[in-house]
Amino acid sequence: MRCPYCRHPDSRVTDSREQDEGQVIRRRRSCPECGKRFTTVEEATLAVIKRSGVTEPFSRQKVISGVRRACQGRPVDEDALAQLAQTVEEAIRATGCAEIPAPEVGLAILGPLRALDEVAYLRFASVYQAFSSIDDFEKAISELRGEHRDATAEQSTATAELST
C-alpha cells in the first residue's frame, strides 16, 4: 500500500480489525520511509448484474426503497426495513459470489419480506414475479395460508407436548 504522505510504495500493517461482522477490515499501517501512520479500510465489493448487462454496486438503500414502496401504508418501521436490507446483503454475500444477477437479489428479498409483512410480500412478489392474473394472486395467497396452517399445527403439537 502506497503511503499517502511520502508516496513510498510499501507500508507495514501494524494492526487489523474486523468491522460489520467481518465484511470490512480496518488496517492500521506505518510507512518505513517517513514513519507516519495511516488507516486503510478494505471491503469486498458486491456487484449486481442488471438485466441489461450493466453492472453496478450493490446498494442497501436501493433494497430499502424498493421494499418501502411495497410496505406503503403498512405498519413497518424504518428499522425493520434496514434490518431486512442487512439480512438480504448478508444472504447475498454468503453465496460467495462477487457479482450477482439482479433477479437473485429479488429472490433474496422475498423470504425476509414474507416474514416481515405478508401484504407487502404480496405487493412486492406481484411486481417482481410479474403476476399477470388474479390466479397468480390466489396461488400466492394459498401458499401463505398453507404455511399458516403448518405453523399453527406445529404450535398446537408443541403446546400439547408441554402440557403432558
Side-chain angles (χ1 to χ4, degrees):
M1 178 77 202
R2 186 177 298 275
C3 175
Y5 301 106
C6 70
R7 310 298 293 161
H8 184 70
D10 196 19
S11 64
R12 192 177 67 102
V13 175
T14 59
D15 183 40
S16 291
R17 296 182 185 193
E18 290 184 356
Q19 294 177 324
D20 293 335
E21 298 175 8
Q23 300 301 321
V24 176
I25 299 174
R26 180 181 172 273
R27 297 193 196 278
R28 191 76 181 136
R29 296 174 175 270
S30 70
C31 176
E33 188 69 25
C34 68
K36 294 194 177 185
R37 293 177 170 231
F38 58 98
T39 301
T40 59
V41 178
E42 300 173 19
E43 181 176 16
T45 59
L46 182 60
V48 177
I49 304 168
K50 309 283 275 185
R51 288 186 178 111
S52 64
V54 175
T55 303
E56 67 179 40
F58 175 83
S59 168
R60 281 188 191 181
Q61 198 54 46
K62 283 185 92 169
V63 171
I64 290 170
S65 67
V67 173
R68 183 181 290 128
R69 276 184 252 128
C71 292
Q72 199 166 10
R74 302 294 304 156
V76 177
D77 63 1
E78 287 297 315
D79 290 339
L81 293 177
Q83 182 62 45
L84 182 136
Q86 180 177 348
T87 301
V88 169
E89 183 175 1
E90 288 170 359
I92 292 170
R93 286 191 186 276
T95 65
C97 298
E99 293 183 341
I100 187 159
E104 302 270 333
V105 176
L107 286 175
I109 291 171
L110 287 174
L113 184 56
R114 178 183 287 185
L116 181 65
D117 187 276
E118 291 174 340
V119 173
Y121 164 78
L122 283 172
R123 289 175 178 171
F124 189 87
S126 70
V127 173
Y128 174 72
Q129 295 175 338
F131 286 9
S132 59
S133 69
I134 198 162
D135 294 335
D136 295 333
F137 279 97
E138 288 175 344
K139 180 180 173 193
I141 290 169
S142 66
E143 288 175 5
L144 287 171
R145 284 187 177 143
E147 289 175 12
H148 279 297
R149 272 188 239 113
D150 294 344
T152 304
E154 287 177 18
Q155 288 175 347
S156 297
T157 304
T159 305
E161 289 174 359
L162 289 174
S163 62
T164 57

